Amino acid sequence: MSHDSAHLAALEDDTTADTALDHRIAPALEDLVHARPADAFAWLGPHRQREGERRLRVLVPHAQRVEVIGEDGRRWDLHPGPLPGLFEGAAGEAAVPLLALHFEQGVEQVHDAYAFGPLLDEALLQRFHAGDADAARQLGAVPMQVQGIAGVRFAVWAPNARRVAVVGDFNGWDGRRHPMRLRHAAGVWELFLPGVQAGARYKFRIVGADGQVMPDKFDPMARWAELPPATASRVPSAAPMQWHDEGWRAARRQTGAGAPLSIYEVHAGSWQRGDDGAPLDWDALADRLIPYVAGLGFTHIELLPVSEHPFGGSWGYQPLGIYAPTARHGTPHAFARFVDRCHQAGVGVIVDWVSAHFPNDAHGLAGFDGTALYEHADPREGVHADWDTLIYNYGRNEVAAYLIGSALEWVERFHIDGLRVDAVASMLYRDYSRADGEWIPNEQGGRENLQAVAFLRRMNQTLRERFPDVLVIAEESTAWPGVTAPVEEGGLGFTHKWNMGWMHDTLQYLGRDPVHRQHHHSEISFGLVYAFSERFVLPLSHDEVVHGKGALLAKMTGEPAQRLAQLRAYYGFMWAHPGSKLLFMGGEFGQGHEWSHDAVLDWAQAASSEGQGLSRLVRDLNGVLRAEPALHRDERDERGFDWSVADDNRNSVYAFIRRDPAGSGRTLLVVSNFTPVLREGYRVGVPQPGRWTERLNTDSAHYNGGNAGNLGAVQTEPRPMHGHAQSLRLTLPPLSTLYLQVDA
């Protein structure tokens, strides 16, 4: 194989030595004909001879005849060569010869792909090699016009490959037809194919570093994919996406992080399905899901990963096409319409995004060019045994560019409002879920993955500089400091972090018999010790309702009515607790069985009086959250929270004050009773005298509760308590949360 620069220079100068078939070049042509490594551009396409004549050689296996069509319409045949599929003859005067390829099944008219010079700018390739994400986004299949001829520029990073060819619908998946040009400086292979249409399926056929032909590879940069279980990439449409959300985006830029955040987490394939049992497409989801979520008052939909993934049972958490929305629900343009319609309805969209690992499917990134390219070669660094997946090499410039480019793609191309970054803890620690001897310390001898830390900081900084109003939420389950601190202050730069400790402690508490809760009082209150150390999201996510964990409702104790009452009280406590909110689908109506990706939600339960009551509560909680700055303004500001009752373990009662740190709005008192005992005459001190209206009561009959309470309002009495000059004498319904607000 000859990849040296002399060949390319000669080609680009459009002059070569005599290319008549003889013993000097026959081996190279033999290699081309048999799909072995060879410099295709040195031997194929038009070349000017020493005497000035332009000669053309093409390789078209299975063609019966090849004609050149001149600019004046004149046609002439190329002559069959001594090797199968080779044809040569006069090129004509057109810079890019137009060919008529005659096959048994018909005639294909196409411009010669080997008449084009290199297309990717050398400076861009150098930027990609240095880790530039925008440069990375120029790879893949890009529809364009070159010299007035429409086609697709294919480009793929495979620096250690000995040969790469594009195969697809347009060449009969024949690996001999379209070998690519290697751009040595960046290890990128490129080829412009005239006439390829949007929607065409394609892959890369690679001869690896060891000389072996590998399984055909999916394009890492594919913007569109074939419907699984098929595994081909598809050429994207060049048509621009149509957007009608400028008003939404302008409002987002204006409100920024100060806006309330309440997230409805959705697995698009199992929320609802069509009458035929098939997953809904994006347009049908828009028709059904958007008004449903908007009606419940959530500010955002969070989609479990919608990047293309081969195995549906991974719920999208083992993606291979991180630039392409999954074809399970339609085209990329259809996904864009879904996001656009969400924005027009006043609902933001967050996508779950996976940079922690990727699956080892043969058509994917694993050993992409015959070497550990995207992953680490050493399994102690490159393999997640728990998930049977591979770990990105974050310290490699091109890999970091690939990942950051994907994050930018979702935000820029699809107008996504936020990314939830999966499994951040597994990225931060080299010994994550590994025993001694199964991991390699960093260069400082520690367990931290310094390359992953640098990558996350760089990604978050890039997003912050370009899109300061876009959310970047970390699923991070450890005590890593400064996850949401700015990068310039030594933090990781995320906007939010899932509060896994709060979720674990509170669910554990509510799973205990109420008689024993007095001994575990801190499981509810401990979260306030660190609630202001990060900007948290309180997650009741999909992870808590699968794999034998049971539904949220099933985690509660007691009889069915008590379980519902506890869940209502829990939601009331959660929505008033510092931190943004996240609820997985089905939790809004108290689904009784755990979630399965193979089955839709229990919509019969949603239609029951109990389910409707719980849904009304969730709607009203979101309404209060949106309306009251005390519940959403700068949730890292400790001035917005004061304990009133934190230590009444005997009664399992908690009470606290929420206020807007900026001083707007009215103060809220929140009181939770986590026992099935009606408590009358329970006194709580409050900071202001006057009439306190019962703003919300989770035991209200409106929510299918027992309807105990305070008859709508309570007047303060001049009896000091809890550091205040006045107090309220309250009735606390069993298993309830109350919101009381001082009248203006």
Side-chain angles (χ1 to χ4, degrees):
M1 171 181 171
S2 177
H3 287 309
D4 61 83
S5 58
H7 276 297
L8 291 177
L11 178 62
E12 292 161 14
D13 190 47
D14 203 29
T15 57
T16 65
D18 185 356
T19 57
L21 289 174
D22 63 30
H23 67 280
R24 291 176 296 166
I25 60 171
L29 291 174
E30 286 267 7
D31 289 339
L32 284 171
V33 168
H34 293 95
R36 295 192 293 260
D39 188 349
F41 280 86
W43 309 111
L44 302 180
H47 295 274
R48 195 168 299 279
Q49 308 303 302
R50 278 194 286 263
E51 60 272 19
E53 180 189 12
R54 291 179 77 235
R55 300 283 293 177
L56 175 66
R57 180 182 291 119
V58 299
L59 175 59
V60 192
H62 306 301
Q64 298 173 328
R65 178 186 170 203
V66 176
E67 291 181 291
V68 182
I69 306 173
E71 293 178 303
D72 58 359
R74 186 172 62 90
R75 307 167 76 108
W76 63 91
D77 281 349
L78 296 179
H79 306 294
L83 297 175
L86 282 174
F87 298 82
E88 70 171 9
E93 293 306 312
V96 182
L98 178 61
L99 308 175
L101 311 178
H102 295 256
F103 298 98
E104 184 177 350
Q105 61 271 32
V107 180
E108 175 187 342
Q109 189 167 296
V110 64
H111 288 90
D112 180 32
Y114 295 92
F116 299 92
L119 296 181
L120 288 166
D121 182 75
E122 191 68 30
L124 181 141
L125 292 172
Q126 290 294 343
R127 283 168 39 214
F128 168 63
H129 183 58
D132 185 278
D134 290 313
R137 293 170 68 193
Q138 297 302 307
L139 305 186
V142 180
M144 60 176 56
Q145 285 198 356
V146 180
Q147 297 176 228
I149 298 169
V152 177
R153 185 191 68 206
F154 295 91
V156 63
W157 179 54
N160 303 301
R162 298 182 61 188
R163 181 183 191 271
V164 181
V166 185
V167 294
D169 294 331
F170 39 80
N171 60 19
W173 299 88
D174 191 327
R176 296 168 293 180
R177 284 277 306 269
H178 291 125
M180 304 175 77
R181 166 190 278 127
L182 174 62
R183 305 295 300 277
H184 295 263
V188 170
W189 299 75
E190 69 166 7
L191 184 67
F192 178 73
L193 290 185
V196 175
Q197 301 294 310
R201 300 175 303 153
Y202 71 97
K203 288 185 176 182
F204 295 114
R205 188 161 297 166
I206 297 175
V207 176
D210 61 357
Q212 299 299 306
V213 180
M214 305 178 64
D216 289 349
K217 291 290 188 177
F218 183 89
D219 182 1
M221 307 296 299
R223 270 64 175 195
W224 189 10
E226 197 176 11
L227 179 66
T231 58
S233 308
R234 301 187 72 180
V235 173
S237 170
M241 297 177 183
Q242 301 299 313
W243 295 98
H244 311 86
D245 65 346
E246 183 50 42
W248 164 268
R249 300 181 83 196
R252 190 186 75 190
R253 288 190 291 269
Q254 184 174 358
T255 57
L261 180 59
S262 180
I263 303 166
Y264 185 72
E265 190 188 33
V266 176
H267 178 255
S270 61
W271 181 75
Q272 286 185 3
R273 290 190 176 166
D275 294 339
D276 59 354
L280 300 176
D281 63 24
W282 289 119
D283 292 322
L285 276 165
D287 291 340
R288 301 187 193 187
L289 179 61
I290 295 172
Y292 180 80
V293 173
L296 288 169
F298 287 97
T299 66
H300 289 71
I301 293 170
E302 180 176 311
L303 296 166
L304 268 63
V306 291
S307 299
E308 194 57 81
H309 51 283
F311 176 46
S314 75
W315 317 330
Y317 287 102
Q318 294 193 12
L320 279 179
I322 63 172
Y323 284 71
T326 178
R328 292 169 173 84
H329 307 288
T331 67
H333 278 69
F335 177 69
R337 283 197 304 273
F338 172 82
V339 176
D340 195 41
R341 289 180 62 182
C342 283
H343 289 170
Q344 292 177 68
V347 178
V349 181
I350 300 167
V351 296
D352 219 328
W353 185 74
V354 184
S355 57
H357 56 107
F358 60 91
N360 55 16
D361 298 63
H363 69 281
L365 301 180
F368 190 79
D369 64 357
T371 68
L373 190 63
Y374 287 86
E375 70 273 34
H376 294 274
D378 193 323
R380 293 174 297 173
E381 295 182 283
V383 176
H384 277 307
D386 289 355
W387 305 320
D388 192 27
T389 56
L390 303 177
I391 302 170
Y392 288 106
N393 183 349
Y394 304 106
R396 189 159 195 169
N397 288 340
E398 296 92 342
V399 175
Y402 168 72
L403 292 169
I404 295 171
S406 167
L408 292 172
E409 189 90 357
W410 288 98
V411 175
E412 287 187 347
R413 184 180 177 211
F414 294 111
H415 291 198
I416 292 300
D417 302 283
L419 302 173
R420 180 266 191 186
V421 183
D422 180 64
V424 170
S426 75
M427 301 172 65
L428 294 175
Y429 300 98
R430 288 173 165 267
D431 63 344
Y432 181 87
S433 194
R434 297 176 187 270
D436 290 344
E438 296 178 350
W439 60 282
I440 301 174
N442 63 35
E443 52 265 41
Q444 301 172 0
R447 58 196 285 258
E448 301 83 5
N449 189 330
L450 301 179
Q451 289 76 28
V453 171
F455 159 74
L456 290 170
R457 286 172 170 163
R458 182 180 161 201
M459 180 191 74
N460 286 328
Q461 191 76 353
T462 301
L463 288 167
R464 190 65 46 244
E465 289 171 356
R466 297 197 192 184
F467 309 101
D469 51 326
V470 166
L471 307 171
V472 193
I473 305 168
E475 186 209 17
E476 204 286 309
S477 55
T478 74
W480 186 281
V483 172
T484 59
V487 171
E488 56 269 22
E489 296 177 10
L492 295 183
F494 288 93
T495 64
H496 295 77
K497 169 182 171 172
W498 273 21
N499 194 336
M500 311 292 281
W502 175 91
M503 174 275 300
H504 177 270
D505 289 349
T506 56
L507 286 178
Q508 184 168 269
Y509 177 87
L510 290 163
R512 302 184 186 278
D513 190 299
V515 74
H516 300 305
R517 288 176 181 170
Q518 61 180 308
H519 306 297
H520 304 276
H521 197 71
S522 65
E523 289 176 343
I524 288 289
S525 60
F526 182 68
L528 274 304
V529 173
Y530 59 87
F532 308 102
S533 62
E534 303 274 7
R535 182 171 284 110
F536 284 116
V537 172
L538 309 181
L540 297 179
S541 75
H542 65 281
D543 276 332
E544 309 319 312
V545 294
V546 292
H547 301 322
K549 297 179 182 178
L552 288 178
L553 187 63
K555 298 178 189 293
M556 308 295 115
T557 59
E559 299 299 316
Q562 287 185 325
R563 292 188 177 201
L564 274 164
Q566 287 176 90
L567 192 58
R568 292 193 300 267
Y570 183 39
Y571 287 173
F573 173 79
M574 171 182 175
W575 254 256
H577 192 287
S580 300
K581 324 302 172 192
L582 180 143
L583 185 65
F584 184 59
M585 63 183 197
E588 74 277 15
F589 57 76
Q591 174 154 303
H593 56 78
E594 69 176 25
W595 170 61
S596 168
H597 71 276
D598 288 325
V600 299
L601 298 183
D602 186 356
W603 292 104
Q605 169 65 17
S608 69
S609 60
E610 296 87 354
Q612 291 183 356
L614 189 57
S615 292
R616 284 193 291 270
L617 173 64
V618 170
R619 179 198 65 200
D620 289 353
L621 287 169
N622 280 326
V624 176
L625 178 72
R626 286 172 175 265
E628 298 297 335
L631 291 183
H632 69 254
R633 185 103 70 191
D634 197 356
E635 294 190 339
R636 284 195 71 175
D637 194 327
E638 299 182 58
R639 297 174 300 168
F641 178 91
D642 278 322
W643 276 114
S644 297
V645 180
D647 58 356
D648 188 5
N649 61 299
R650 185 172 62 88
N651 293 310
S652 297
V653 171
Y654 306 80
F656 53 86
I657 294 291
R658 295 299 311 275
R659 63 174 64 86
D660 178 12
S664 67
R666 293 182 288 163
T667 299
L668 277 168
L669 171 68
V670 181
V671 188
S672 293
N673 173 18
F674 286 119
T675 63
V677 178
L678 176 69
R679 303 196 183 279
E680 296 181 305
Y682 194 95
R683 192 168 291 277
V684 180
V686 290
Q688 295 163 267
R691 185 174 184 266
W692 286 68
T693 297
E694 197 173 74
R695 178 73 179 272
L696 185 140
N697 179 347
T698 66
D699 194 52
S700 167
H702 186 57
Y703 309 133
N704 212 56
N707 215 36
N710 296 278
L711 302 176
V714 185
Q715 189 72 31
T716 59
E717 298 174 8
R719 181 171 171 178
M721 185 162 285
H722 304 136
H724 302 294
Q726 56 281 319
S727 58
L728 299 173
R729 189 173 184 272
L730 299 173
T731 295
L732 307 184
L735 300 170
S736 69
T737 295
L738 306 177
Y739 293 1
L740 295 106
Q741 190 168 40
V742 66
D743 292 352

